[in-house]
């Protein structure tokens, strides 16, 4: 290699190392543009949502908007899932609404801060690891229910409105479908929002606007402690609500992170995300916000517009702050029809249409389809994604237990001389399958010596050990002996530790 070639190679390697040490959005102008524009679209979409959730929580719109700003900007640094948007949400608003109604804003802020503390503790204890127990059928139901909720959430904005709203929504949808065929340099939702706003303002079309949802803030939030007595009574009042908020927020955030992982084919740090949600809620509470968690709809907008880094998350909150305080009068003129069109398109894109195709349903096991359907029904009925995920996961466990329970088989073989009966047990022995085990033996007709071969089985729990003890007892009552053979090491350890200790009175 010549000296010139060597220097060129070293320079190239140094450039790659420098690029590797920098964020992707800083290393590539194209990525930077994508992140900025996606953040702007999400910032616009956050405004009506934050105001609506403020109404649900019973607080001034400013409280919800500031929560959206601080949650997004803080989680961009401390969260574990790049490109995921966190802000004030409907699920959290429903949980904390009774606090505001019964005790006032000060107690709400204290609840948000305590919920953040709970989330940090739960995250540190490894609550994120529970996500491995959420099966795919529940995840598909979660996604489909999300698509339905995103769509139905737009219906109030289409009811009892001027007729001009409907052509505006259609126009917005057409723009977002066909504009990407011209160029993808600028997000189609942003183009749609700008064009529809210009049309309605220039033509003087009277339709509901963002400003009709509530007054936008005109100054920056000021940090401070909640105005509540720091006493045991205050803690007993807010603790139940704070724990509920922490659990709901973590459930929605972790499910959203898992969804984004699949959409982007990347992995996220769920433990960091759990702790980050807690930090973000504490900061939000100190700035007088109502708290929140990951926003699934806005996250979908962000990801589908190509965002993949933390920059878009931070800019969503930053742009929201600028839009509200600096450009409030302009933002107030945005027609709700434009934002409705964006959310309708997102809802259609979110729904997993492949999962409901007749061919797919025909191939899928009935239990899997049932779990998916139950998850969807519960989420839509309660408008709570967390409840749906819990019910769906429990249903999946029941279906799994029922399926596995039938895999335990008992085969009887009698020696030619008739002096020994050999039973070969195959399958997984646990509380569901071992219940029928006791009735599979011929206690009266078997010879005096019985061998139970468990070399093709595995003993999982105390219920199975108790069943084996019951079998031995029934044979002993008839003067017959039982020998259990073939236990693998874990099964032998469990059986040796519990056998004879599970009967009543021991």
């Amino acid at each position: 290699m010549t000296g010139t070639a060597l220097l060129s190679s070293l320079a190239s390697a140094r450039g790659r190392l420098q690029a590797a040490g920098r964020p992707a959005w800083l290393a590539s102008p194209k990525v930077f543009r994508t992140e900025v524009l996606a953040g702007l679209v999400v910032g616009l979409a956050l405004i009506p949502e934050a105001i609506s959730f403020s109404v649900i929580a019973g607080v001034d719109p400013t409280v919800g908007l500031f929560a959206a700003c601080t949650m997004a900007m803080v989680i961009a640094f401390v969260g574990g899932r790049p490109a995921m948007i966190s802000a004030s949400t409907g699920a959290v608003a429903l949980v904390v609404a009774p606090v505001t109604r019964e005790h006032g804003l000060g107690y709400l802020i204290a609840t948000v801060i305590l919920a953040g503390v709970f989330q940090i503790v739960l995250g540190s204890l490894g609550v994120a690891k529970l996500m491995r127990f959420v099966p795919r059928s529940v995840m598909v139901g979660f996604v489909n229910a999300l698509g339905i909720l995103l769509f139905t959430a737009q219906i109030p904005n289409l009811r009892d409105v001027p007729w001009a709203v409907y052509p505006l929504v259609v126009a917005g949808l057409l723009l977002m479908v066909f504009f990407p065929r011209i160029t993808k340099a600028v997000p189609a939702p942003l183009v749609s929002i700008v064009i529809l706003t210009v049309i309605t303002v220039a033509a003087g079309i009277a339709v509901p606007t963002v400003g009709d949802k509530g007054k936008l803030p005109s100054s920056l939030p000021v940090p401070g402690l909640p105005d509540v007595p720091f006493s045991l009574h205050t803690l007993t009042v807010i603790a139940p609500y704070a724990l509920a908020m922490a659990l709901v927020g973590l459930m929605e955030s972790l499910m959203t992170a898992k969804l984004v992982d699949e959409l982007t084919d990347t992995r996220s740090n769920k433990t960091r995300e759990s702790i980050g949600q807690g930090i973000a809620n504490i900061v939000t509470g100190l700035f007088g916000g109502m708290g929140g968690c990951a926003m699934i709809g806005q996250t979908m907008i962000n990801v589908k517009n190509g965002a993949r880094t933390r920059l878009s998350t931070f800019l969503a909150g930053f742009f929201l702050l600028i839009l509200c305080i600096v450009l409030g009068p302009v933002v107030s003129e945005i027609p709700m029809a434009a934002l409705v069109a964006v959310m309708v398109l997102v809802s259609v894109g979110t729904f997993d249409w492949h999962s409901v195709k007749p061919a797919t349903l025909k191939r899928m096991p009935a239990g899997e389809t049932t779990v998916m359907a139950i998850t969807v029904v519960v989420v839509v009925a309660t408008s709570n994604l967390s409840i749906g995920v819990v019910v769906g996961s429990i249903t999946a466990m029941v279906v799994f237990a029922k399926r596995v329970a039938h895999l335990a088989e008992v085969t009887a073989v009698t020696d030619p001389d008739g002096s020994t009966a050999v039973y070969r047990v195959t399958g997984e022995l646990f509380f569901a399958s071992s219940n029928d085990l006791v009735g599979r033996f011929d206690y009266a007709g078997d010879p005096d010596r019985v061998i139970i071969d468990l070399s093709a089985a595995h003993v999982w729990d105390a219920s199975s050990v108790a069943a084996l003890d019951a079998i031995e007892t029934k044979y002993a009552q008839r003067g017959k002996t039982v020998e259990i053979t073939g236990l693998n090491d874990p099964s032998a350890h469990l059986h040796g530790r519990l056998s004879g200790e599970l009967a009543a009175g021991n």
Side-chain angles (χ1 to χ4, degrees):
M1 180 181 292
T2 65
T4 303
L6 178 61
L7 290 174
S8 176
S9 177
L10 289 173
S12 177
R14 184 175 61 184
R16 287 195 300 270
L17 286 172
Q18 289 176 344
R22 289 183 293 174
W25 54 267
L26 193 58
S28 169
K30 181 179 179 181
V31 172
F32 180 78
R33 183 182 67 243
T34 300
E35 297 293 315
V36 171
L37 293 176
L40 179 57
V41 173
V42 173
L44 289 168
L46 279 172
I47 295 174
E49 297 280 347
I51 294 174
S52 298
F53 298 148
S54 299
V55 174
I56 294 173
V59 296
D60 188 85
T62 302
V63 177
L65 288 166
F66 282 158
C69 296
T70 54
M71 284 292 297
M73 289 192 286
V74 173
I75 205 69
F77 292 98
V78 300
R81 173 64 260 179
M84 190 166 78
I85 305 297
S86 290
S88 48
T89 60
V92 168
L94 288 170
V95 172
V96 299
V99 182
T100 312
R101 184 171 59 251
E102 298 172 15
H103 304 284
L105 179 61
Y107 280 83
L108 167 64
I109 303 304
T111 300
V112 172
I113 295 174
L114 183 59
V117 174
F118 282 151
Q119 287 178 328
I120 292 175
V121 173
L122 290 170
S124 301
L125 292 176
V127 69
K129 295 178 182 178
L130 295 176
M131 290 305 297
R132 70 182 67 180
F133 297 105
V134 178
R136 183 185 179 278
S137 53
V138 174
M139 193 68 193
V140 173
F142 171 85
V143 170
N144 290 344
L146 167 61
I148 295 171
L149 286 182
L150 290 175
F151 182 83
T152 56
Q154 310 314 311
I155 294 177
N157 294 313
L158 297 173
R159 221 187 273 142
D160 299 325
V161 293
W163 67 269
V165 168
Y166 304 109
L168 285 173
V169 171
V170 173
L173 290 171
L174 293 175
L175 277 169
M176 287 184 287
V177 170
F178 292 105
F179 184 80
R181 300 184 181 182
I182 301 173
T183 178
K184 295 183 178 179
V186 182
L190 180 59
V191 174
S192 176
I193 291 171
V194 171
I195 290 178
L196 293 185
T197 302
V198 170
I199 290 174
T200 55
V201 172
I205 302 175
V207 291
T209 64
V210 169
D212 296 330
K213 285 286 185 178
K215 185 179 179 181
L216 301 182
S218 57
S219 60
L220 291 170
V222 178
L225 294 174
D227 183 19
V228 296
F230 289 86
S231 63
L232 181 60
H233 176 263
T234 300
L235 182 62
T236 57
V237 168
I238 67 174
Y241 297 103
L243 181 59
M245 176 183 165
L247 293 173
V248 169
L250 285 179
M251 176 68 76
E252 293 220 14
S253 298
L254 294 175
M255 287 297 294
T256 305
K258 188 174 181 180
L259 175 60
V260 177
D261 288 353
E262 294 184 3
L263 290 174
T264 61
D265 197 25
T266 57
R267 296 183 65 183
S268 59
N269 188 330
K270 305 296 192 304
T271 297
R272 178 178 173 179
E273 181 62 36
S274 302
I275 297 173
Q277 287 290 328
I279 295 172
N281 271 308
I282 291 174
V283 174
T284 296
L286 293 175
F287 276 92
M290 59 179 274
C293 61
M295 291 195 76
I296 303 169
Q298 274 63 24
T299 297
M300 295 300 294
I301 294 175
N302 198 42
V303 172
K304 289 186 179 296
N305 277 315
R308 295 293 183 271
T309 76
R310 299 176 184 275
L311 180 63
S312 58
T313 303
F314 174 80
L315 289 179
F318 179 75
F319 282 143
L320 174 60
L321 194 62
I322 299 300
L323 289 168
C324 291
I325 295 176
V326 180
L327 301 175
V330 176
V331 174
S332 296
E333 296 299 323
I334 296 175
M336 284 301 300
L339 299 176
V340 168
V342 171
M343 296 307 294
V344 167
L345 195 65
V346 169
S347 69
V348 173
T350 300
F351 195 91
D352 186 352
W353 297 100
H354 176 74
S355 67
V356 295
K357 287 182 177 179
T360 303
L361 294 174
K362 186 176 180 180
R363 286 195 301 267
M364 289 290 289
E368 300 280 318
T369 303
T370 300
V371 171
M372 179 187 73
I374 288 176
T375 303
V376 172
V377 170
V378 173
V379 170
V380 173
T382 63
S383 297
N384 192 311
L385 292 162
S386 302
I387 294 176
V389 170
V390 171
V391 172
S393 298
I394 293 174
T395 305
M397 292 176 188
V398 172
V399 170
F400 174 76
K402 184 178 179 181
R403 184 185 304 162
V404 176
H406 297 294
L407 297 180
E409 296 291 338
V410 179
T411 306
V413 179
T414 304
D415 281 354
D417 60 3
S419 63
T420 304
V422 180
Y423 287 89
R424 181 175 175 82
V425 181
T426 60
E428 308 299 321
L429 299 181
F430 65 112
F431 63 89
S433 59
S434 61
N435 284 336
D436 298 329
L437 195 64
V438 179
R440 308 289 289 276
F441 296 83
D442 185 5
Y443 301 102
D446 283 339
D448 291 341
R449 184 169 181 261
V450 177
I451 295 176
I452 301 176
D453 180 10
L454 297 177
S455 57
H458 188 101
V459 179
W460 285 103
D461 59 7
S463 296
S464 301
V465 176
L468 293 173
D469 283 354
I471 294 169
E472 290 187 82
T473 300
K474 287 181 177 293
Y475 276 115
Q477 289 171 348
R478 293 168 174 80
K480 302 175 182 181
T481 60
V482 175
E483 181 183 354
I484 297 176
T485 64
L487 288 168
N488 57 34
D489 289 342
S491 299
H493 176 72
L494 183 66
H495 183 265
R497 183 158 53 92
L498 297 179
S499 182
E501 301 294 330
L502 300 173
N506 285 348

